[in-house]
Amino acid sequence: MYRVSKVLNNNGVIAIDMDENKEYVILGKGVGFGKKVSQRFDKPEGCTTYRLEQETERGSAKELVKGIEPEYLEIADAILT
């Protein structure tokens, strides 16, 4: 089960895994639709999950994701899949 940390758009959310207490970017068709911050949900089938773990000289992954437009995350997801 996940808890919404931030809704990026209808197709993406930043969520915290309730079991591991780690943050993930979840991308998939309609995964963010109607979601509110702190809302709990199960990950739907067909979603791609990315973990926010690396720290680089540009900053933490979480801060980098906040500065990227959601459309670019969807494009990157499509390229990787």
Side-chain angles (χ1 to χ4, degrees), residues 40-65:
R40 290 180 170 87
F41 69 100
D42 289 319
K43 186 177 89 168
E45 293 293 322
C47 289
T48 310
T49 306
Y50 298 99
R51 176 118 187 285
L52 302 173
E53 66 179 11
Q54 289 187 332
E55 177 97 19
T56 64
E57 64 275 352
R58 296 185 303 179
S60 71
K62 180 178 179 180
E63 295 303 317
L64 289 173
V65 168

Side-chain angles (χ1 to χ4, degrees), residues 1-5 14-24 26 36-43 49 51:
M1 179 155 286
Y2 293 88
R3 183 173 46 88
V4 176
S5 175
I14 297 175
I16 299 170
D17 186 332
M18 302 290 288
D19 299 327
E20 300 174 2
N21 201 28
K22 294 183 180 174
E23 207 161 31
Y24 294 89
I26 301 174
K36 305 284 186 217
V37 174
S38 297
Q39 180 179 347
R40 290 180 170 87
F41 69 100
D42 289 319
K43 186 177 89 168
T49 306
R51 176 118 187 285

